[in-house]
């Protein structure tokens, strides 16, 4: 099988196994593995199949039952929905069923985990929310995501804020954003906005290939290193993991450690 992406994910493995199953039904011999050629370089990766192609058998059985009208697929809203032609119907059905997948970012695994606890609807999940008491000595801010609080907000149609947000302030503030292409597996753009006593300065460093990634990383570190006490802001953990990844190959570790 050929795949345009560099990484092989579970659906691709399963699809390959289903192809193996189709072949086995024609040839009478079940293959034990298949090969996926990935990315532009067509790098070959061998994928081992489950014994007796069990995973593919189960999938094909399930699809056959759905096709015959004996089963219907479980509705699970997912990141692909905004681009899907059925999004309105599915969203309306999800609202009607009060399904947990209305919570953005809740993965299938987590939906199943809540299901095992007997929580199948947003209303049920909303009832489980209990704000944690803050310890007297604790001054750490939790970044924990409370699905139950999200469910409560949706149920009550209100915005809840867990404590007052505290954003640190300083003479020099740097806002950092990096963009990557997951298929190509490298960061191609580092964007920065620096506020200091002179005003606002914008930077954008581009990499046309993976070989140039280190170069734009060094440019970014050089900008931050100009300031003694800069505060660096970014949204989410991606920028941090990028810096951590590049730290291994950085010639000068100190400015990178400071940035982290
Ligand atoms: S809108 Fe419905 S059919 Fe389309 S991806 Fe989402 S859940 Fe699947």
């Amino acid at each position: 099988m050929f795949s345009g992406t560099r990484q092989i994910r579970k659906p691709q493995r399963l699809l390959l196994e289903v192809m193996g199953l189709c072949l086995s039904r024609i040839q009478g011999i079940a293959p034990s593995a298949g090969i996926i050629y990935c990315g532009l370089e067509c790098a070959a990766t061998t994928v081992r199949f489950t014994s007796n192609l069990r995973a593919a058998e189960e999938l094909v059985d399930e699809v056959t039952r759905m096709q015959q009208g004996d089963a219907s697929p479980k509705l699970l809203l997912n990141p692909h929905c905004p681009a899907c032609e059925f999004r309105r119907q599915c969203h309306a059905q999800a609202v009607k069923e009060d399904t947990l997948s209305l919570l953005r970012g809740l993965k299938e695994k987590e939906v199943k985990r809540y299901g095992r606890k007997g929580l199948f609807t947003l209303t049920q999940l909303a009832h489980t929310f209990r704000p944690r008491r803050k310890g007297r000595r604790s001054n750490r801010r939790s970044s924990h995501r409370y699905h139950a609080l999200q469910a409560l907000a949706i149920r009550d149609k209100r915005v809840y804020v867990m404590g007052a947000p505290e954003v640190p302030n300083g003479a020099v503030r740097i806002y950092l954003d990096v963009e990557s292409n997951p298929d190509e597996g490298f960061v191609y753009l580092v964007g920065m906005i620096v506020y200091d006593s002179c005003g606002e300065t914008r930077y954008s460093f581009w990499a046309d290939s993976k070989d140039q990634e280190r170069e734009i990383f060094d440019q970014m570190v050089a900008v931050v290193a100009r300031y003694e006490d800069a505060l660096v802001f970014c949204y989410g953990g991606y920028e941090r993991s990028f810096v951590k990844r590049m730290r291994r190959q950085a010639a000068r570790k100190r400015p990178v450690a400071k940035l982290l």
Side-chain angles (χ1 to χ4, degrees), residues 43-82:
T45 303
T46 302
V47 174
R48 301 251 154 247
F49 295 155
T50 53
S51 74
N52 299 327
L53 305 175
R54 184 181 28 84
E57 287 275 12
E58 283 173 9
L59 185 69
V60 171
D61 279 354
E62 197 182 338
V63 173
T64 310
R65 276 188 286 121
M66 284 178 196
Q67 199 180 32
Q68 291 166 347
D70 297 339
S72 56
K74 222 175 187 183
L75 178 66
L76 190 76
L77 301 182
N78 58 76
H80 177 63
C81 294

Side-chain angles (χ1 to χ4, degrees), residues 10 14 58-59 62 73-77 99-103 105-121 124-125 147:
K10 199 177 164 192
L14 207 45
E58 283 173 9
L59 185 69
E62 197 182 338
K74 222 175 187 183
L75 178 66
L76 190 76
L77 301 182
T99 160
L100 287 182
S101 73
L102 281 166
L103 290 185
L106 195 68
K107 300 206 173 83
E108 189 175 357
K109 240 190 207 170
E110 289 161 313
V111 171
K112 280 186 183 156
R113 190 164 53 84
Y114 282 124
R116 283 197 293 275
K117 291 181 187 170
L119 300 168
F120 300 99
T121 64
Q124 288 171 335
L125 183 60
H147 293 132

Side-chain angles (χ1 to χ4, degrees), residues 7-189:
Q7 283 172 349
I8 303 173
R9 299 212 162 80
K10 199 177 164 192
Q12 290 160 313
R13 289 172 186 274
L14 207 45
L15 177 60
L16 188 66
E17 191 169 317
V18 170
M19 290 175 180
L21 179 65
C22 297
L23 275 181
S24 77
R25 288 182 180 176
I26 297 164
Q27 297 177 336
I29 299 169
S32 60
I35 299 173
I36 300 184
Y37 295 93
C38 310
L40 293 174
E41 305 85 20
C42 292
T45 303
T46 302
V47 174
R48 301 251 154 247
F49 295 155
T50 53
S51 74
N52 299 327
L53 305 175
R54 184 181 28 84
E57 287 275 12
E58 283 173 9
L59 185 69
V60 171
D61 279 354
E62 197 182 338
V63 173
T64 310
R65 276 188 286 121
M66 284 178 196
Q67 199 180 32
Q68 291 166 347
D70 297 339
S72 56
K74 222 175 187 183
L75 178 66
L76 190 76
L77 301 182
N78 58 76
H80 177 63
C81 294
C84 177
E85 60 184 301
F86 301 112
R87 59 188 179 277
R88 282 204 186 83
Q89 293 99 308
C90 287
H91 187 263
Q93 191 185 334
V95 171
K96 195 170 148 208
E97 291 177 6
D98 199 23
T99 160
L100 287 182
S101 73
L102 281 166
L103 290 185
R104 266 187 165 188
L106 195 68
K107 300 206 173 83
E108 189 175 357
K109 240 190 207 170
E110 289 161 313
V111 171
K112 280 186 183 156
R113 190 164 53 84
Y114 282 124
R116 283 197 293 275
K117 291 181 187 170
L119 300 168
F120 300 99
T121 64
L122 275 187
T123 310
Q124 288 171 335
L125 183 60
H127 280 295
T128 66
F129 178 70
R130 303 276 178 279
R132 282 219 184 134
R133 286 218 186 124
K134 202 175 161 190
R136 257 185 299 168
R137 272 175 294 176
S138 154
N139 57 2
R140 285 189 59 192
R141 295 186 58 76
S142 165
S143 57
H144 183 78
R145 186 168 184 167
Y146 292 94
H147 293 132
L149 179 60
Q150 267 184 291
L152 191 69
I154 293 175
R155 187 196 70 181
D156 297 350
K157 297 190 174 60
R158 298 182 70 169
V159 174
Y160 291 107
V161 178
M162 288 273 293
E166 288 161 23
V167 182
N169 202 359
V172 182
R173 300 185 307 282
I174 300 177
Y175 297 90
L176 174 67
D177 185 25
V178 306
E179 299 293 333
S180 75
N181 180 344
D183 294 343
E184 294 296 325
F186 72 94
V187 166
Y188 63 86
L189 172 64

